[in-house]
Amino acid sequence: MLHRTGAFCARHPVWVIAAWLLVMAAAMLGRNVIGATYSDEVSLPGSQTQTGADLLEESEPKLADPSGKVVFHVGSGTVASHGDALDDTLARLGDLPHVSAVSGPTTSTDGATTYVTLSFDEDIKSLGHSYVDQLDEATEPAEAAGVHVGYGGDLDNIAREPANDVASEAVGIATALVVLLIAFGSVAAALLPLGSALVSVLAGLGVVGIVAGSLTFATSAPTLAAMIGLGVGIDYALFLITRFRQDIMDGYGAEAAVARTTAGSGKAVLVAAVTVAVALLSLYACGLSMIGRLGLAATIAVVVTALAALTLVPAALGLVGRRVDKLRIRRRPVAESAGDNDGWHRYAAMVARHPWRFLTAGAAVLAVCAVPLFAMRLGHIDDGADPVGSTTRNAYDWIAAADGPGFGPGANGPFTVVVDLKGATEPSDRIADELSDALGKTAGVSRATTPQPTPDGRLLVTTVTPTTGPQTAGTGGLYETLTDHTLPETLAGSGTTAYLTGTTAGQLEFRDTVTERLPVIIGIVLVCAFLLLTVVFRSLVVPLKAVALNLLTTGASYGVLVAVFQWGWGDNLLGMSGPVPIESYVPMMMFAIVFGLSMDYEIFLLSRIADEWHTSHDNQRAVGKGLALTGRVITCAALIMTAVFLSFAGSPTVVVKMLALGLAISVILDATIVRLVLVPSLMFLLGSGNWWLPRWLDRRLPRVTV
């Protein structure tokens, strides 16, 4: 089927290319017409955070309204000394669209910092970044009087500058072009992967936008889809074009070369894409729709780019034909191999002579990289990680640095305790006194307001301010103390139930849920990958080895991520302002993506090794030829993928930085340590045992070749 598909596309290149351009335009138009919105709101039905929020909304709906803080600060003197300007500003804020209420000012002990809370009649994020212009206009009197203004709380959802994915993509594409020109020495061969990848990525983003009209994706979904789609799109096209150029050099006609390429490398692309898609879709098994849909967005991008690789690339090759090397920048363009005595064969022979040395050295490098993994601390990255001088960071720092009720580091992430009095066997005032006394004695609590009943008398509500900031280990420890000890022990025997809710509590409960379900994702991905590779390579040893090596690669990538972000080693390089925890869902996302992408390279390498082994049964020759045929193309693919991922590391969003850097590190480790050191050394040590498969299983497995 793939052979026929390639031949058809080669015979009708203009029609196929036109069809893809039409699909791309229709997808982008559809996305703009639908006008999809994105949200990072996480729902945990049945959780204590959600239950507490639901009870609070039923008893006192106003407390559940979306809200954000406008913070005023002066370097010297007091904010109150600018009373007229502040009054004018508060009046203007109250007149803004969708603002339902403006609280009274809360002022620090020294009077230098004041904030008010704005309540809104709709989700703040839906107001969009342009709403900041209206906030700026409303706060102009205070600014003109010399009072600094910052936007905090949930206003950070609209106050942060949107990520500029176009700039990141341009850097990645420019770097990819340089790599392709150097590697292949042909302008046409370098431009074809970029052109097909751009078309497929735009089409994929359009489809993601259309799907987002009915499914709510996280705000990072388009960035993730673009990053993954651009990386695999260039790589898949690169594999096909390399094989096509080699067939042209070997004397095949253009149409025959396209058909052979699509049938050969196209099958590897198909298997690789399926592997990535399975890994990404397994994220749904965690039961968290936000994470599952991030995987779906990336899967859409991978599927569209794979379809483009199997149709658009063959059409472009059919159109260019033997002129693929016409515009040269070197005398003799190269493709897959320079012969049986090239550097790759010599390197394979060296590994064959010292396999244990290479295996030990490679494993040691991954082990050292993985050491920080054991200190990994998951959490949520708050406004304290925003760039210094940004409006959100200013608001955060001013509140954290000030003293008084409503201020201090923990004021940026307070907990709300909701006590359900239904079924209470003691008077509510006694319960309130006991709770207030217990909270005041709890280590890590800076302040706790006196528990107050809601108007309907159904609930008691109090606000607990930690002594530490939202993303610190101390606040996470306090959360566990309150939920596991303080609240249940204090209310035991009273017939009441307490729930810890609020933004920070929800984020910490989300962290715990993700941590609990990560093993499920790992198990599903490992089993699916093992089964797929067993069918493809008809061996139990090869997939077991591939799975183990990918686990090592992922662990090493996690370790580097901890060192860079949690230990702060990459602050200056990445424009960070201090150590931060690893965002709770990043390890889960990284595992699925890293595992899928790493399998891509191994499938291409192992398929070439398997071909030669089944032909010659010479292990050294098989490994040498596999490295020779894939060495140049996989190295280029890895460089391009790394460049694409690193281009997104400049994003202002810390989570995107984490994913981009983590994926780039994993690609580097996989393309060097794993592919060049561990795989060949293990192949030599195991010899014919690499291809062991019980006969009874061989008879029952479907036959799929790559």
Side-chain angles (χ1 to χ4, degrees):
M1 182 185 69
L2 289 174
H3 190 282
R4 292 194 299 271
T5 300
F8 174 85
C9 294
R11 287 195 300 270
H12 308 285
V14 176
W15 288 105
V16 174
I17 294 172
W20 266 102
L21 293 175
L22 182 62
V23 168
M24 178 191 71
M28 296 301 292
L29 179 63
R31 183 185 73 164
N32 293 334
V33 170
I34 290 176
T37 57
Y38 300 87
S39 173
D40 291 326
E41 184 177 350
V42 179
S43 176
L44 296 172
S47 66
Q48 70 150 348
T49 307
Q50 190 64 50
T51 303
D54 292 341
L55 288 171
L56 196 59
E57 186 172 10
E58 290 174 8
S59 292
E60 197 165 1
K62 286 294 182 183
L63 292 179
D65 285 348
S67 63
K69 294 177 180 177
V70 178
V71 186
F72 305 94
H73 178 77
V74 291
S76 60
T78 64
V79 175
S81 64
H82 304 277
D84 292 341
L86 186 62
D87 291 341
D88 189 10
T89 295
L90 297 184
R92 292 188 179 201
L93 288 172
D95 292 336
L96 287 176
H98 304 294
V99 173
S100 57
V102 179
S103 72
T106 300
T107 304
S108 61
T109 303
D110 61 4
T113 305
T114 295
Y115 67 81
V116 296
T117 301
L118 306 185
S119 298
F120 293 84
D121 58 15
E122 66 174 69
D123 181 58
I124 294 177
K125 193 165 188 63
S126 66
L127 301 176
H129 181 65
S130 60
Y131 193 82
V132 176
D133 294 335
Q134 299 183 59
L135 288 171
D136 289 342
E137 186 176 346
T139 58
E140 187 178 352
E143 290 275 11
V147 178
H148 303 296
V149 180
Y151 306 130
D154 287 347
L155 281 176
D156 60 3
N157 288 320
I158 60 174
R160 292 192 183 105
E161 288 288 336
N164 187 1
D165 291 344
V166 175
S168 299
E169 291 165 5
V171 172
I173 290 171
T175 306
L177 179 59
V178 173
V179 172
L180 290 169
L181 287 172
I182 294 174
F184 296 130
S186 166
V187 175
L191 291 176
L192 279 177
L194 298 178
S196 64
L198 278 175
V199 171
S200 61
V201 167
L202 290 175
L205 289 176
V207 174
V208 169
I210 292 172
V211 175
S214 55
L215 294 177
T216 302
F217 287 111
T219 53
S220 58
T223 300
L224 181 64
M227 186 165 58
I228 301 299
L230 189 59
V232 300
I234 295 175
D235 280 7
Y236 291 165
L238 176 60
F239 292 133
L240 289 164
I241 293 170
T242 302
R243 183 66 177 268
F244 170 78
R245 295 173 72 235
Q246 187 64 51
D247 283 345
I248 290 293
M249 292 177 185
D250 291 343
Y252 287 93
E255 184 177 322
V258 171
R260 280 173 50 84
T261 294
T262 310
S265 294
K267 192 178 293 185
V269 166
L270 191 60
V271 173
V274 169
T275 305
V276 177
V278 169
L280 290 170
L281 290 178
S282 69
L283 291 169
Y284 268 107
C286 73
L288 301 170
S289 59
M290 186 196 84
I291 294 179
R293 288 172 185 173
L294 278 172
L296 176 61
T299 299
I300 290 172
V302 170
V303 169
V304 173
T305 53
L307 290 174
L310 298 175
T311 53
L312 179 58
V313 173
L317 292 174
L319 185 65
V320 175
R322 304 185 68 86
R323 294 168 296 178
V324 68
D325 288 326
K326 193 172 183 64
L327 298 175
R328 303 178 183 180
I329 61 172
R330 68 154 60 107
R331 182 173 298 177
R332 182 178 179 272
V334 294
E336 289 185 333
S337 173
D340 290 343
N341 295 315
D342 63 6
W344 294 108
H345 283 86
R346 293 193 295 272
Y347 173 75
M350 181 172 62
V351 177
R353 290 193 299 271
H354 309 286
W356 282 109
R357 293 183 186 178
F358 280 84
L359 179 62
T360 303
V365 171
L366 293 185
V368 170
C369 291
V371 167
L373 165 65
F374 299 100
M376 180 183 286
R377 179 172 64 85
L378 301 182
H380 177 71
I381 299 170
D382 60 24
D383 295 351
D386 287 352
V388 174
S390 64
T391 182
T392 52
R393 178 62 182 273
N394 286 340
Y396 183 97
D397 288 346
W398 293 335
I399 290 176
D403 292 322
F407 293 91
N412 284 302
F415 296 124
T416 300
V417 178
V418 177
V419 180
D420 187 358
L421 297 174
K422 183 180 180 181
T425 58
E426 298 179 7
S428 61
D429 55 350
R430 180 186 300 174
I431 294 173
D433 290 342
E434 292 175 352
L435 180 61
S436 180
D437 183 60
L439 291 173
K441 295 178 180 178
T442 301
V445 172
S446 174
R447 294 181 182 84
T449 61
T450 302
Q452 297 292 329
T454 52
D456 61 1
R458 168 72 185 274
L459 307 174
L460 283 176
V461 182
T462 178
T463 299
V464 176
T465 303
T467 57
T468 51
Q471 67 183 17
T472 62
T475 298
L478 176 60
Y479 167 81
E480 294 170 0
T481 299
L482 292 174
T483 55
D484 296 341
H485 300 287
T486 304
L487 297 179
E489 291 171 4
T490 301
L491 300 178
S494 67
T496 62
T497 305
Y499 302 94
L500 201 62
T501 188
T503 301
T504 303
Q507 291 162 350
L508 291 170
E509 189 164 16
F510 178 75
R511 175 205 64 184
D512 292 345
T513 304
V514 169
T515 303
E516 177 186 324
R517 297 177 184 178
L518 179 58
V520 176
I521 301 301
I522 293 176
I524 291 174
V525 173
L526 293 183
V527 170
C528 291
F530 182 84
L531 293 175
L532 178 63
L533 293 180
T534 299
V535 172
V536 170
F537 294 110
R538 311 200 70 74
S539 165
L540 290 179
V541 177
V542 167
L544 184 62
K545 179 173 56 182
V547 165
L549 291 178
N550 277 282
L551 279 175
L552 287 174
T553 304
T554 306
S557 301
Y558 285 169
V560 175
L561 213 60
V562 170
V564 171
F565 288 95
Q566 189 175 311
W567 293 356
W569 289 8
D571 287 355
N572 293 332
L573 182 63
L574 295 173
M576 301 283 293
S577 54
V580 295
I582 304 301
E583 180 64 46
S584 54
Y585 64 86
V586 165
M588 186 179 287
M589 292 295 303
M590 264 191 64
F591 179 80
I593 298 171
V594 167
F595 206 91
L597 295 180
S598 297
M599 284 296 178
D600 279 6
Y601 297 146
E602 292 199 31
I603 286 171
F604 281 98
L605 171 60
L606 293 174
S607 64
R608 291 308 185 95
I609 294 176
D611 285 345
E612 182 60 30
W613 164 256
H614 292 305
T615 300
S616 67
H617 292 282
D618 183 331
N619 202 40
Q620 181 170 325
R621 179 178 174 81
V623 175
K625 191 166 184 179
L627 288 173
L629 292 176
T630 62
R632 181 181 299 273
V633 66
I634 290 183
T635 301
C636 289
L639 284 172
I640 291 168
M641 189 85 79
T642 301
V644 169
F645 290 154
L646 287 180
S647 68
F648 284 86
S651 170
T653 305
V654 179
V655 174
V656 174
K657 287 181 187 288
M658 281 188 181
L659 282 171
L661 185 63
L663 294 176
I665 292 166
S666 69
V667 170
I668 293 171
L669 292 175
D670 186 72
T672 54
I673 304 300
V674 173
R675 181 177 62 86
L676 296 180
V677 180
L678 296 179
V679 169
S681 60
L682 282 171
M683 297 293 285
F684 286 128
L685 288 170
L686 294 172
S688 59
N690 286 302
W691 314 105
W692 179 78
L693 183 70
R695 291 184 179 179
W696 64 266
L697 184 57
D698 185 47
R699 290 192 297 269
R700 287 168 172 78
L701 287 177
R703 296 196 172 271
V704 178
T705 58
V706 180

